[in-house]
Amino acid sequence: MPKRGDRTDPKTAALREDGTLNPSPEKVSDPKFQTGEFFDTRDLMQVRYEMLRRVSIDNLSVTQAAAEYGVSRPTYYQARSSFDEAGLGGLVPKKRGPRGPHKLQGDILAFVEKQIVPGRPLRAREMARLIWQVFSVEIHPRTIERAFGGKKTTQRATEPVQKKPLRG
């Protein structure tokens, strides 16, 4: 049987893939998580839920709970707020970084939409050059392709390429 925390352990792999792998399982000192198989320090959602439960049901202070679960008090309050807003789903960590094409909005977005002709392929490189000329904003062609559902494809020759005979 694989050890807890082992990279080959299927549960660790599943938690990592879902984004719910606890980055600091060693900081959890609640005795329930140290014994038995049900409570798992690697499962961030389970750890956060149990932390919230300990404060709400067992009347543990926020300071004590934060220390016992290896988090800061602001982290506790953020988890509480997220849980109150969205239930268990609120305890799943949010994906970090931009949530969309932040440069491709407003006037630029309207401009690109006017340039698109239905039935014709999206020419993202040309569009990026036009955007630079009109708005002085640099946008990567792939950003345009993603925003409008275009796929990045390679150009293929319609006729086979004739090879030149080697000179001897």
Side-chain angles (χ1 to χ4, degrees):
M1 184 169 155
K3 290 185 346 186
R4 284 183 154 199
D6 184 2
R7 288 195 173 271
T8 60
D9 177 29
K11 184 172 183 182
T12 300
L15 291 170
R16 183 178 289 110
E17 185 176 319
D18 291 341
T20 57
L21 181 64
N22 188 356
S24 305
E26 70 283 352
K27 291 182 179 178
V28 178
S29 63
D30 182 341
K32 284 188 292 262
F33 283 87
Q34 308 309 320
T35 60
E37 289 294 314
F38 181 76
F39 291 102
D40 189 349
T41 59
R42 298 171 299 167
D43 189 338
L44 186 61
M45 280 187 59
Q46 189 179 47
V47 169
R48 296 277 163 92
Y49 180 80
E50 187 59 19
M51 174 181 68
L52 297 175
R53 191 198 68 74
R54 293 270 289 147
V55 172
S56 295
I57 305 301
D58 296 347
N59 295 318
L60 195 65
S61 75
V62 171
T63 303
Q64 288 173 314
E68 198 169 278
Y69 290 89
V71 298
S72 65
R73 288 178 52 235
T75 298
Y76 167 83
Y77 288 114
Q78 180 60 53
R80 178 88 238 172
S81 173
S82 297
F83 181 75
D84 289 345
E85 286 177 22
L88 277 177
L91 297 179
V92 176
K94 306 279 187 283
K95 185 178 174 186
R96 297 172 67 160
R99 304 280 189 268
H102 62 278
K103 289 184 182 178
L104 203 55
Q105 296 180 359
D107 294 340
I108 298 174
L109 183 61
F111 175 79
V112 173
E113 287 172 343
K114 285 180 187 175
Q115 303 300 315
I116 294 176
V117 178
R120 292 187 62 201
L122 176 67
R123 304 276 187 228
R125 286 187 182 160
E126 292 173 23
M127 196 68 66
R129 273 191 229 109
L130 275 173
I131 292 168
W132 173 252
Q133 290 170 356
V134 175
F135 297 97
S136 298
V137 174
E138 189 174 342
I139 297 181
H140 195 278
R142 187 68 186 119
T143 300
I144 298 167
E145 290 170 345
R146 279 191 208 110
F148 291 95
K151 292 185 179 178
K152 189 176 183 181
T153 58
T154 57
Q155 297 273 336
R156 291 189 180 147
T158 54
E159 297 178 17
V161 177
Q162 296 287 329
K163 291 186 179 181
K164 293 182 182 180
L166 294 174
R167 293 185 191 177

